[in-house]
Amino acid sequence: IDKAAIAGTGANNQPTGIVNQSGVNASTYTNGGAPTFADIVGMEGLISTADADVSRMAYLTTPPMASGLKLTEKSANTAQFVWDSTNPGEGRMNGFNARYSSNVPAGSVILGNFSDLVIGHWGALEISADAGGANFAKGSVSVRAIMDMDVAVRHPESFCVMTGAAP
C-alpha cells in the first residue's frame, strides 16, 4: 500500500502514487550528488508559490539519500547538516519532519502535506489458502492476499517531488 501511494504508476490496476501524479510540483536535480540545503529549501518555495498549506509538511526520501544528507553540510565548515537527526529513522530538514522509506524511488526526495494524500480501502483483506492441486504433491500451501484500495492526491500542489539526485 505504501509503495502504491508513493510511486504507483496508475497502469495495470495500480493506483497513481504521489511521484506519478499530474499537477505535483517537480524539481529535477542534475548535479549528480546529494541535494544542497538550497535545493531542499527550494522545494518548499515551489509549494508555497502554489499557495498550498505548508504548515504540516514533511520530507520523505530513501534510506541512502537520508544517509547522504546526514553528511551534507548546509554550508561549508559549519557542522550543520541538511538532515538533522536525533532519533534513528527520524530527522528534520529545513524545519520540517523527515523520514525515509525504501518504497521511495531511488534518487527522489518528496516534500508534501501528507494529509492531502487519501488512501481508501473497501471490503476487507481477503486471504485464501490452497493446499490442493500442484501444491499437494510438493507438500506446500499457496497463500494469496488481496486488498482493494485506491490512492488520491487531494491537492497536487501540496507536494513537490525532486528526482535525479544521488546519495
Side-chain angles (χ1 to χ4, degrees):
I1 293 172
D2 288 348
K3 187 172 185 174
I6 295 167
T9 64
N12 301 317
N13 296 320
Q14 192 177 107
T16 303
I18 296 167
V19 299
N20 294 308
Q21 190 69 234
S22 80
V24 167
N25 295 290
S27 174
T28 303
Y29 189 72
T30 57
N31 293 342
T36 66
F37 186 62
D39 297 321
I40 295 298
V41 172
M43 296 174 72
E44 177 191 2
L46 290 173
I47 294 173
S48 59
T49 299
D51 293 327
D53 180 10
V54 297
S55 63
R56 295 183 295 179
M57 294 192 309
Y59 287 93
L60 182 62
T61 190
T62 65
M65 185 68 71
S67 295
L69 292 168
K70 288 178 184 180
L71 299 172
T72 303
E73 285 187 287
K74 288 182 179 180
S75 58
N77 302 316
T78 62
Q80 294 181 347
F81 299 93
V82 174
W83 181 294
D84 180 29
S85 180
T86 54
N87 297 317
E90 299 177 1
R92 292 188 67 77
M93 290 197 300
N94 184 28
F96 297 105
N97 288 328
R99 302 290 186 271
Y100 54 80
S101 168
S102 57
N103 290 323
V104 176
S108 298
V109 178
I110 301 168
L111 172 64
N113 180 354
F114 286 86
S115 64
D116 282 338
L117 176 67
V118 180
I119 300 173
H121 299 263
W122 53 95
L125 176 63
E126 177 186 328
I127 299 176
S128 61
D130 178 17
N135 288 322
F136 181 78
K138 293 188 274 182
S140 64
V141 175
S142 292
V143 178
R144 180 176 79 165
I146 299 174
M147 169 60 81
D148 291 323
M149 55 83 65
D150 203 356
V151 173
V153 175
R154 191 179 347 216
H155 300 290
E157 64 276 7
S158 295
F159 291 91
C160 182
V161 177
M162 176 187 289
T163 57

